[in-house]
Amino acid sequence: MKKLLIFSFITAVLGFGLIAQEDAPAPVETGTSTSELDNTTGLSNFQTDTGRQQLRTILVENMDDPTVWTPFIPFDKGVITMRRLQGNPSGKEPLRSSELLIYNPEDTYVIGLKTEFYGRDDFFLSLQANKPIFIPGIVKSISVWVAGRGKDHELRLVLRDLDGQVFILPVSELNYTGWRQLSINIPLNINQQDKTGFQYGLYFTAFLIETEFYDAEGTYYTYFDDIRAVSDLIADSIIDDDDITDGW
């Protein structure tokens, strides 16, 4: 029932037709057993870890611009409102300009979601990127700061590989209070190389929050800030400086 709910949500709302998901802490493609997965290297099964790595921290999104995002809740489950609010997690460490791959404007805001439930139920609400956000290289891990409100709802990430395959990765339950940096390792079964062999990376497409039946009542607040990734850019470093960058 849960897998059917996820499939219906993704195809109807996010517009993707291929899904890889399971209840265990790693996404699984259809027909793949959990014993075949490795959630430590971040390499696909088409790649080999030779020890040559160039790890960089990438600022995927600082969550300052609300026009990047669209919230969603099924129309019969409640009302969801998104707002940009001034603030920052006190534990967040700023990145030096030399570490960033994208321009880092002044980081002074977060994105807040206010969900007003019609009644208790199990379903998904989401915060979707209006345009998939490309993360270059062989992505090892992704992190995001999320302020929890002590509810047993579960956060998941939706990623898409370069062939269009969609993966849903369980991140954490949100049953804590205050800000916490949540992170996941990218599993082995996600292929991060395109068919030409010249481009590496993943697309970030959405956050999903799976509601817990008994906590899906009243008004629920969630706040997001600072999506980062650790990525191996060794493949990009051997490309000539005058070459054209793919992925546009």
Side-chain angles (χ1 to χ4, degrees):
M1 180 63 183
K2 183 179 292 186
K3 291 186 178 181
L4 179 61
L5 181 64
I6 296 173
F7 182 84
S8 301
F9 181 90
I10 295 295
T11 53
V13 179
L14 301 181
F16 300 127
L18 297 175
I19 296 180
Q21 191 273 340
E22 66 158 2
D23 296 333
V28 181
E29 294 185 28
T30 303
T32 304
S33 67
T34 55
S35 62
E36 296 172 318
L37 302 181
D38 180 349
N39 197 29
T40 59
T41 65
L43 299 175
S44 80
N45 49 8
F46 300 99
Q47 301 159 358
T48 302
D49 189 352
T50 62
R52 295 182 59 203
Q53 298 187 78
Q54 188 177 98
L55 298 181
R56 292 280 296 276
T57 299
I58 299 171
L59 178 62
V60 179
E61 244 295 321
N62 63 6
M63 311 298 284
D64 268 24
D65 185 359
T67 65
V68 174
W69 306 97
T70 297
F72 174 83
I73 190 173
F75 72 93
D76 59 339
K77 304 300 183 183
V79 177
I80 191 167
T81 306
M82 180 184 72
R83 179 172 293 181
R84 183 179 76 165
L85 300 165
Q86 194 160 18
N88 253 319
S90 61
K92 183 176 68 174
E93 297 182 1
L95 290 174
R96 296 189 300 272
S97 298
S98 61
E99 294 177 317
L100 299 176
L101 296 184
I102 64 174
Y103 173 62
N104 183 25
E106 187 177 1
D107 184 9
T108 57
Y109 295 96
V110 302
I111 294 294
L113 294 182
K114 175 184 177 181
T115 305
E116 299 169 90
F117 296 109
Y118 289 154
R120 289 191 176 104
D121 204 348
D122 295 317
F123 60 94
F124 287 91
L125 55 95
S126 71
L127 182 62
Q128 307 165 28
N130 293 325
K131 179 182 178 181
I133 302 171
F134 182 65
I135 309 174
I138 301 173
V139 184
K140 302 291 188 174
S141 64
I142 297 175
S143 66
V144 59
W145 283 89
V146 183
R149 288 297 181 263
K151 305 295 184 180
D152 286 332
H153 308 310
E154 183 179 0
L155 178 68
R156 305 185 185 203
L157 296 186
V158 183
L159 301 177
R160 193 183 77 197
D161 68 17
L162 298 178
D163 293 328
Q165 176 75 32
V166 175
F167 295 84
I168 302 176
L169 281 65
V171 179
S172 173
E173 291 186 344
L174 301 176
N175 54 0
Y176 58 88
T177 58
W179 286 104
R180 183 175 295 180
Q181 187 178 32
L182 307 177
S183 63
I184 56 169
N185 292 330
I186 304 304
L188 180 67
N189 69 311
I190 298 182
N191 180 30
Q192 300 192 43
Q193 182 179 11
D194 72 352
K195 294 178 180 179
T196 68
F198 289 101
Q199 185 179 12
Y200 295 83
L202 291 173
Y203 287 96
F204 172 87
T205 62
F207 293 108
L208 293 184
I209 296 179
E210 181 184 1
T211 63
E212 203 284 328
F213 180 86
Y214 291 103
D215 283 333
E217 63 172 349
T219 302
Y220 175 62
Y221 293 89
T222 323
Y223 302 91
F224 297 86
D225 191 34
D226 199 70
I227 308 171
R228 300 183 185 185
V230 175
S231 189
D232 179 9
L233 300 176
I234 186 66
D236 292 340
S237 68
I238 60 177
I239 297 176
D240 294 335
D241 291 339
D242 60 352
D243 202 349
I244 304 299
T245 302
D246 297 334
W248 48 274

